[in-house]
């Protein structure tokens, strides 16, 4: 049977790679985005999928959009934002927005897909956290807290949803070359690269491979786990 996957933030570096990989695996793809309309439409056309605009931080709009989208077998909660700023300097508005998009957005989308997954007695949710959610990052305190929250959310929801045949897992990417990291200077990038035991930056396809594995039957006995994809940066 054809399966449908909703990927939030499907227009970003990692999200696009996940969309492409899951489409290649045979999924019908729904690409969520909040601003990148043209990119979402072009990708949806190429992958014979659908583009779906909603702000994951808005619980009502998220619930309405997902209800109208029809059956969803796989949800990848990938939409995310970050800010590099001292905890004592970041405005409460920016800090709140990070939590609302990253953590609350993950919870909004999960809450919206779960009723139909529960009645189907099957489903899979993959949350994109971060290595900083595992070990914390200076100057990304709010981001780290949001990503640590995603790990706690994953573990708890995995327990609650397992009796309904739903698996919930988490990927904790390391440093992946995307727009999110474009603010680093070449000098900073070199210092970061030296900290990576495998000696290279991650690519979006590394996260897409991990997502495809967790979504597949090869992971049918895996739930509530955090899969670190970071070149050995955090062990
Ligand atoms: P990116 O290229 O900046 O893409 C971010 C995506 O999120 C875009 O598609 C964006 O869509 C979407 N988005 C942002 N706010 C949204 C909202 N309110 N509602 C719906 N969509 C929204 O980032 P990325 O590097 O691919 O990161 C993807 C995920 O991986 C994020 O959760 C990030 O925290 C996590 N991650 C990344 C790294 C890394 O090194 N890159 C490491 C660890 C974890 P629009 O353009 O339409 O707003």
């Amino acid at each position: 049977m054809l399966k449908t996957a909703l990927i939030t933030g499907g227009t970003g570096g990692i999200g696009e790679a996940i969309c492409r990989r899951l489409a290649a695996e045979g999924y019908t793809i729904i690409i969520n985005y909040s601003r990148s309309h043209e990119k979402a439409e072009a990708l949806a056309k190429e992958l014979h999928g659908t583009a779906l605009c909603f702000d994951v931080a808005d619980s009502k709009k998220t619930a309405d959009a997902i209800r109208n989208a029809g059956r969803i077998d796989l949800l990848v909660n990938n939409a995310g934002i970050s800010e590099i700023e001292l905890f004592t300097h970041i405005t409460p508005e920016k800090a709140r927005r990070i939590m609302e998009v990253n953590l609350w957005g993950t919870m909004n989308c999960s809450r919206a897909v779960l009723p139909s997954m529960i009645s189907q007695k099957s489903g899979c949710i993959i949350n994109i956290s971060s290595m900083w959610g595992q070990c914390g990052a200076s100057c990304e305190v709010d981001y780290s807290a949001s990503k640590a929250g995603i790990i706690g959310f994953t573990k708890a929801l995995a327990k609650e949803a397992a009796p309904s045949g739903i698996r919930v897992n988490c990927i904790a990417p390391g440093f992946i070359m995307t727009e999110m990291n474009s603010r680093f200077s070449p000098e900073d990038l070199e210092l970061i690269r030296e900290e990576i035991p495998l000696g290279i930056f991650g690519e979006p396809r590394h996260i897409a491979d991990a997502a495809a594995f967790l979504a597949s039957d090869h992971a049918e006995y895996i739930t509530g786990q955090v899969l670190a994809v970071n070149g050995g940066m955090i062990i």
Side-chain angles (χ1 to χ4, degrees), residues 124-136:
C124 181
I125 297 177
I126 299 170
N127 299 321
I128 307 298
S129 176
S130 164
M131 66 178 166
W132 301 136
Q134 297 177 293
C135 70

Side-chain angles (χ1 to χ4, degrees), residues 155-199:
K155 292 180 180 183
L157 184 63
K159 287 182 182 171
E160 191 170 302
S164 301
I166 299 159
R167 296 185 299 106
V168 186
N169 288 292
C170 185
I171 297 171
F175 199 98
I176 312 296
M177 287 310 257
T178 70
E179 185 64 30
M180 191 171 267
N181 292 319
S182 59
R183 65 196 115 189
F184 290 100
S185 68
E187 295 74 28
D188 286 344
L189 286 174
E190 186 51 25
L191 289 173
I192 295 164
R193 196 189 59 73
E194 285 169 8
E195 296 295 315
I196 303 173
L198 283 180

